[in-house]
Amino acid sequence: MSKIIRVLIVDDSAYVRKVVRQMLSRSPFIEVVGTAHDGKDALEQIEKLKPDVVTLDLIMPEMEGVEFLKQQMAKHPIPVVVVSIADEGGERVLAALDAGAVDFVQKPTALATDKMYDISDELIEKVKAAAHVPLNRLPVQSPSSVIVPEKPTVSPPVISQALEMIVIGISTGGPQALAYAIPQLPADFPLPIAVVLHMPIGYTKMYAERLNGLSALEVIEAAEGDVVRPGRVMIAPAGRHLTFIRHVDGQVLAHLEARPFDMLHRPSVDVLFQSAAEVYGPHLLGVVMTGMGSDGKQGCAWIKSHGGVVYTEDESSCVVYGMPRSVVEAGLSDRRISLQYLPSTLINLALSGV
């Protein structure tokens, strides 16, 4: 990475602006070119400074963060990383993602304490990733207005066993991508779906409720003992790994646990995929979508070793082509497919009975 990323910090707290500047300045690839104390000030500073990325608080006087996003994105899209507090701005964070924000980092505290420095590494990585996001891949339109695309002209690879389960791993750009894809699946969709979406604690339940309101399928945040059944989408709760247990009567139930502790993410795509592979064997489809890092690569190896099939989102539609790239480069992807065609592909596979 040779280009220096120019960042504007937007926050009504002078202390937070100072700390965020110090954190970002740790990276030789980032230069903080200015700060703003609210959304109105930010609109003016962007005109003047032309930053590459904006870090954005949401709860501010004069003009709050979501309104700033709506105005800025309508005028000139720019990568924005939200920095917010779950218990004070959870709904605002989801609204900010709808309005075009690339990603978000959860503030560890609302107080002026050194605990703010805990997010330093995460913030740097997300700002660096945001600087390279093609903004036309962030769907900011209402998911209800999405037009269902024509089904792909390329036939999917033959699946030798009937599918019984779909598992999805997704991160940066995930809330927007799922809000595009899941509402296009019909109420009679015959397969269960389980999702690991990298989000901080305090957001997955709220996001599941919002997605449920947009979808014909039932979307829930997974709880201990929930039954895995057709037409149900289970989103792993932040802070717990989602795994499965098959009872002697054939019923599969969700199981949540904190272990393993040594994973970069909790929930982990790898943990979900491994458990699903052990329960469903060759009757499993794993899908790795947009996101930073390589979570899901080892899980895909488990799926393949048990006879299952792996799809990855094509680079052309990914907000960040990290997780899918790691699977493709490991030779584990059976097919790459753009987000545009994912819903119709899943429908075709599920209804074909293959």
Side-chain angles (χ1 to χ4, degrees), residues 8 28 32 48 79 108 127 136 150 159 171 246 265 275 285 294:
L8 175 71
V32 176
K48 181 168 61 177
V127 165
N136 62 351
E150 299 274 336
I159 297 177
S171 185
R246 188 186 290 276
H265 300 283
S275 176
L285 171 65
S294 61

Side-chain angles (χ1 to χ4, degrees), residues 157-167 191 246 273-286 300-310 334 349 353-354:
V158 174
I159 297 177
S160 59
Q161 302 287 339
L163 289 179
E164 295 179 1
M165 180 65 166
I166 297 172
V167 286
L191 298 176
R246 188 186 290 276
F273 281 19
Q274 177 178 340
S275 176
E278 292 170 349
V279 170
Y280 290 98
H283 306 285
L284 179 66
L285 171 65
C300 287
W302 275 89
I303 291 175
K304 299 287 287 182
S305 70
H306 284 71
V309 175
V310 171
D334 293 295
L349 286 173
V354 296

Side-chain angles (χ1 to χ4, degrees), residues 276-327:
E278 292 170 349
V279 170
Y280 290 98
H283 306 285
L284 179 66
L285 171 65
V287 183
V288 178
M289 299 176 66
T290 178
M292 290 192 300
S294 61
D295 190 18
K297 181 176 74 172
Q298 294 302 319
C300 287
W302 275 89
I303 291 175
K304 299 287 287 182
S305 70
H306 284 71
V309 175
V310 171
Y311 284 2
T312 49
E313 184 179 350
D314 190 74
E315 183 176 7
S316 63
S317 66
C318 282
V319 172
V320 177
Y321 190 57
M323 288 164 53
R325 182 196 298 276
S326 71
V327 176

Side-chain angles (χ1 to χ4, degrees), residues 35 123 131 148 209 255 286 318:
T35 62
L123 180 60
V148 179
E209 290 172 351
H255 175 57
C318 282

Side-chain angles (χ1 to χ4, degrees), residues 135-343:
L135 289 176
N136 62 351
R137 296 181 193 169
L138 281 175
V140 297
Q141 75 272 30
S142 169
S144 62
S145 68
V146 168
I147 299 173
V148 179
E150 299 274 336
K151 63 173 144 179
T153 55
V154 179
S155 298
V158 174
I159 297 177
S160 59
Q161 302 287 339
L163 289 179
E164 295 179 1
M165 180 65 166
I166 297 172
V167 286
I168 297 174
I170 193 166
S171 185
T172 313
Q176 303 93 330
L178 292 176
Y180 173 89
I182 299 300
Q184 296 188 50
L185 302 180
D188 61 352
F189 190 76
L191 298 176
I193 299 173
V195 180
V196 161
L197 168 64
H198 295 154
M199 292 181 111
I201 293 172
Y203 290 90
T204 45
K205 181 176 177 60
M206 194 181 307
Y207 179 74
E209 290 172 351
R210 172 175 285 202
L211 191 56
N212 183 63
L214 297 170
S215 306
L217 300 180
E218 177 194 22
V219 183
I220 62 170
E221 181 189 55
E224 182 68 28
D226 278 343
V227 177
V228 177
R229 63 184 185 217
R232 169 175 278 182
V233 180
M234 308 174 79
I235 296 180
R240 289 289 183 269
H241 297 300
L242 173 59
T243 59
F244 302 111
I245 299 173
R246 188 186 290 276
H247 285 202
V248 291
D249 61 1
Q251 192 174 62
V252 178
L253 304 181
H255 175 57
L256 305 178
E257 55 185 320
R259 298 176 181 172
F261 297 116
D262 60 345
M263 307 298 289
L264 181 61
H265 300 283
R266 190 186 304 128
S268 163
V269 180
D270 285 331
V271 171
L272 171 68
F273 281 19
Q274 177 178 340
S275 176
E278 292 170 349
V279 170
Y280 290 98
H283 306 285
L284 179 66
L285 171 65
V287 183
V288 178
M289 299 176 66
T290 178
M292 290 192 300
S294 61
D295 190 18
K297 181 176 74 172
Q298 294 302 319
C300 287
W302 275 89
I303 291 175
K304 299 287 287 182
S305 70
H306 284 71
V309 175
V310 171
Y311 284 2
T312 49
E313 184 179 350
D314 190 74
E315 183 176 7
S316 63
S317 66
C318 282
V319 172
V320 177
Y321 190 57
M323 288 164 53
R325 182 196 298 276
S326 71
V327 176
V328 170
E329 291 182 347
L332 298 169
S333 177
D334 293 295
R335 186 186 183 195
R336 286 171 277 182
I337 182 166
S338 71
L339 177 61
Q340 178 188 12
Y341 296 123
L342 181 62

Side-chain angles (χ1 to χ4, degrees), residues 11-187:
D11 199 293
D12 64 326
S13 165
Y15 176 78
V16 172
R17 294 196 299 270
K18 173 186 172 184
V19 170
V20 172
R21 179 188 286 272
Q22 290 174 344
M23 288 191 288
L24 294 178
S25 296
R26 289 178 46 216
S27 171
F29 304 109
I30 297 174
E31 176 189 2
V32 176
V33 295
T35 62
H37 53 79
D38 61 32
K40 185 177 179 181
D41 186 21
L43 291 172
E44 297 172 358
Q45 293 297 325
I46 289 171
E47 282 289 324
K48 181 168 61 177
L49 299 172
K50 309 292 190 218
D52 300 308
V53 178
V54 171
T55 67
L56 178 68
D57 186 20
L58 294 179
I59 305 170
M60 300 180 292
E62 190 69 26
M63 181 187 291
E64 49 84 40
V66 175
E67 180 58 30
F68 156 78
L69 269 168
K70 290 177 180 177
Q71 292 194 26
Q72 182 61 48
M73 292 302 180
K75 182 167 56 174
H76 176 69
I78 186 171
V80 174
V81 176
V82 168
V83 183
S84 185
I85 308 169
D87 58 357
E88 292 188 15
E91 285 287 356
R92 285 187 176 93
V93 168
L94 297 184
L97 293 172
D98 288 344
V102 172
D103 208 341
F104 65 99
V105 177
Q106 182 177 344
K107 284 182 182 176
T109 178
L111 305 176
T113 72
D114 286 349
K115 195 166 179 60
M116 275 293 298
Y117 289 96
D118 292 350
I119 64 173
S120 180
D121 291 342
E122 180 185 8
L123 180 60
I124 288 172
E125 289 308 306
K126 290 189 173 181
V127 165
K128 287 162 65 176
H132 300 281
V133 168
L135 289 176
N136 62 351
R137 296 181 193 169
L138 281 175
V140 297
Q141 75 272 30
S142 169
S144 62
S145 68
V146 168
I147 299 173
V148 179
E150 299 274 336
K151 63 173 144 179
T153 55
V154 179
S155 298
V158 174
I159 297 177
S160 59
Q161 302 287 339
L163 289 179
E164 295 179 1
M165 180 65 166
I166 297 172
V167 286
I168 297 174
I170 193 166
S171 185
T172 313
Q176 303 93 330
L178 292 176
Y180 173 89
I182 299 300
Q184 296 188 50
L185 302 180

